[in-house]
Amino acid sequence: MRKPEKLILEGHGQLSGIIIDEAEGCPSSSTYRSRFGSLLRAYALVGFSPARDYRYLEINRKLRALHPTVIAKIISGIGSVGGRVTSDPLTDLLTVNDEFTVSVAIMRSILTPAGTLRWKLRLDTALNPDLTIAARMDEHNDRTRDFYLLPRLDMGEAVLRLCEHNGLSLDAYRFDTLERFYRMAARAIVPRAA
């Protein structure tokens, strides 16, 4: 007996979540997502390749899964220099030393047809953090390439489009590591005046 999704593909010549959901005698698209991890994976198993490139969906899923790890590393780094940090469990907004707030974003790299890399960052204007730490991913979206420490006061736009070199107006905020941020969060013991 042939699989229902293979029959749907043959009947429609393509697959989509809507086509699957409207087909009689076939599990819902959400069932395929949960069983195979994504609709794209289910599509591949029946030999369907969408005309549009949906690889970015898999990359976004991977980066969302990486986000808690990045936040945990930042919290650990702040703690290693004697700083204190609290994290809002609903928004992931960090409050450092009860003094300033930090939002953490991961920027997916996009390879242009010309072979150069681009990144797009939407600053969180709803939470309005004092500082945004934006981790810029490498060309494969596997590792962090560098970081941007973006103070709210200096950011006039809600959406930033970055290329490999952005000029002083943005690259002044670029760092290879978060060591400078950790130094900013460090606490120093001040001796009592006599």
Side-chain angles (χ1 to χ4, degrees):
M1 186 167 158
R2 302 184 74 181
K3 294 182 178 182
E5 59 275 6
K6 190 75 169 169
L7 292 171
I8 295 169
L9 174 59
E10 290 172 359
H12 288 273
Q14 64 179 350
L15 290 173
S16 73
I18 293 171
I19 291 171
I20 291 170
D21 288 338
E22 291 179 351
E24 299 227 2
C26 184
S28 69
S29 61
S30 61
T31 301
Y32 284 106
R33 276 189 202 94
S34 65
R35 187 174 296 155
F36 298 107
S38 72
L39 279 179
L40 292 178
R41 175 79 177 116
Y43 294 166
L45 293 173
V46 295
F48 175 65
S49 179
R52 186 172 173 197
D53 184 2
Y54 287 100
R55 284 179 296 183
Y56 73 93
L57 294 173
E58 294 297 325
I59 293 168
N60 287 351
R61 181 177 294 116
K62 182 175 71 170
L63 295 181
R64 275 193 302 277
L66 177 65
H67 195 260
T69 304
V70 172
I71 288 179
K73 284 182 182 177
I74 290 171
I75 290 172
S76 175
I78 293 168
S80 72
V81 296
R84 292 182 334 275
V85 62
T86 57
S87 175
D88 184 316
L90 297 176
T91 63
D92 287 331
L93 187 69
L94 304 178
T95 302
V96 180
N97 300 321
D98 294 321
E99 296 171 351
F100 63 95
T101 57
V102 177
S103 178
V104 178
I106 299 176
M107 292 187 284
R108 171 175 54 94
S109 68
I110 301 162
L111 186 64
T112 68
T116 59
L117 293 174
R118 298 287 185 265
W119 297 263
K120 183 176 171 182
L121 174 66
R122 292 183 197 282
L123 294 170
D124 196 331
T125 55
L127 293 177
N128 211 17
D130 298 309
L131 181 74
T132 298
I133 297 176
R136 194 164 65 157
M137 299 303 288
D138 69 2
E139 64 273 10
H140 304 293
N141 289 296
D142 291 329
R143 289 187 311 275
T144 302
R145 175 185 173 128
D146 52 24
F147 299 91
Y148 280 77
L149 303 179
L150 303 166
R152 179 184 66 215
L153 295 175
D154 291 349
M155 298 299 113
E157 302 292 323
V159 177
L160 299 177
R161 287 170 173 56
L162 288 87
C163 53
E164 294 179 53
H165 303 286
N166 301 286
L168 191 57
S169 64
L170 279 175
D171 283 346
Y173 302 103
R174 191 196 71 76
F175 301 92
D176 291 330
T177 69
L178 289 176
E179 291 308 312
R180 174 155 296 171
F181 170 72
Y182 296 142
R183 286 196 307 268
M184 185 173 74
R187 301 291 85 197
I189 297 174
V190 178
R192 183 177 251 163

